[in-house]
Amino acid sequence: MEVISSPIADVKIIQPKVFGDERGFFMETFRVDWFKEHCADVEFVQDNHSKSAHGILRGLHYQLEQTQGKLVRVTSGAVYDVAVDMRKSSKTFGTWFGVELSAQNARQLWVPAGFAHGFYVISDSAEFVYKCTDYYHPASEVSLAFDDPTLKIDWPFAGEAPITSSKDAQGYALADAPVFD
Ligand SMILES: Cc1cn([C@H]2C[C@H](O)[C@@H](COP(=O)(O)OP(=O)(O)O[C@H]3O[C@H](C)C(=O)[C@H](O)[C@H]3O)O2)c(=O)[nH]c1=O
């Protein structure tokens, strides 16, 4: 496995080693020892799995309580995955980082607690699996507007408006969004 830095210090891209042969492929997708040494000394308590059609945008979400770090990857298709720093004391507060995650590139993204997270489905459909460092806490969940004019996230929409949940269509502007210390 290789860890690749991003412009936001705590957000990391992880590139597993893929062993291909005539049968297909094998890769180790997570190791506690490697992750603690190279990314963060955290424990994961919940795994999630979602499937979305082309053009779906899920997010940008974060929980104010039981804040979740997320280790995310794509097992089918391709998404554009985005993390936004919501920690007001961070020198990268209000900045975003995006990367294409796909079954093809096998890349993962480590999104620490304190970040808003979301993704846009580039392929016909995508299956998205991820590990969380705390449990779901819907009472404190926040949606940040994916199209906030201050964030200016460079989503790969190619002219078509994304399909979102009603919750995500009414996300907070960055200026009004609750933040972390
Ligand atoms: C997140 C979650 C949802 N649910 C239930 C609640 C709803 O009945 C249904 C769909 O939930 P929601 O529309 O919030 O799912 P997403 O839009 O994929 O939410 C996720 O989207 C972005 C990408 C994130 O980073 C978060 O992990 C998460 O907020 O699953 C649960 O039972 N447990 C959970 O942990």
Side-chain angles (χ1 to χ4, degrees):
M1 259 185 213
E2 179 193 359
V3 62
I4 302 165
S5 297
S6 80
I8 300 178
D10 301 320
V11 176
K12 305 285 185 193
I13 299 168
I14 295 163
Q15 184 67 67
K17 183 165 177 53
V18 181
F19 298 91
D21 64 26
E22 65 283 357
R23 300 167 296 170
F25 74 84
F26 176 90
M27 62 179 166
E28 292 182 0
T29 54
F30 176 72
R31 286 181 60 123
V32 169
D33 58 353
W34 185 90
F35 193 85
K36 285 180 185 274
E37 182 184 349
H38 296 281
C39 285
D41 185 6
V42 295
E43 305 289 337
F44 294 97
V45 298
Q46 179 176 320
D47 280 4
N48 294 335
H49 182 165
S50 66
K51 180 176 181 179
S52 309
H54 174 76
I56 295 283
L57 192 155
R58 293 181 186 252
L60 298 151
H61 300 158
Y62 56 104
Q63 294 181 167
L64 296 172
E65 295 172 41
Q66 297 177 201
T67 51
Q68 296 174 312
K70 297 165 191 168
L71 177 59
V72 306
R73 69 189 181 99
V74 169
T75 56
S76 169
V79 308
Y80 188 71
D81 200 73
V82 171
V84 181
D85 194 347
M86 298 302 288
R87 304 166 303 177
K88 67 176 183 234
S89 61
S90 163
K91 64 178 186 306
T92 49
F93 171 70
T95 62
W96 64 276
F97 171 69
V99 63
E100 183 171 324
L101 304 178
S102 69
Q104 181 63 33
N105 69 25
R107 283 187 162 181
Q108 306 176 14
L109 190 67
W110 165 239
V111 181
F115 283 73
H117 173 255
F119 65 85
Y120 172 77
V121 179
I122 302 167
S123 51
D124 288 345
S125 72
E127 295 206 39
F128 193 84
V129 296
Y130 53 112
K131 308 176 86 64
C132 301
T133 60
D134 213 327
Y135 298 106
Y136 182 46
H137 191 259
S140 73
E141 190 180 56
V142 174
S143 280
L144 176 70
F146 64 87
D147 55 355
D148 180 86
T150 311
L151 286 172
K152 298 190 183 70
I153 297 171
D154 189 16
W155 297 103
F157 292 159
E160 59 196 289
I163 305 157
T164 69
S165 65
S166 55
K167 170 182 73 174
D168 293 348
Q170 304 161 57
Y172 278 96
L174 180 64
D176 305 324
V179 296
F180 300 97
D181 290 340

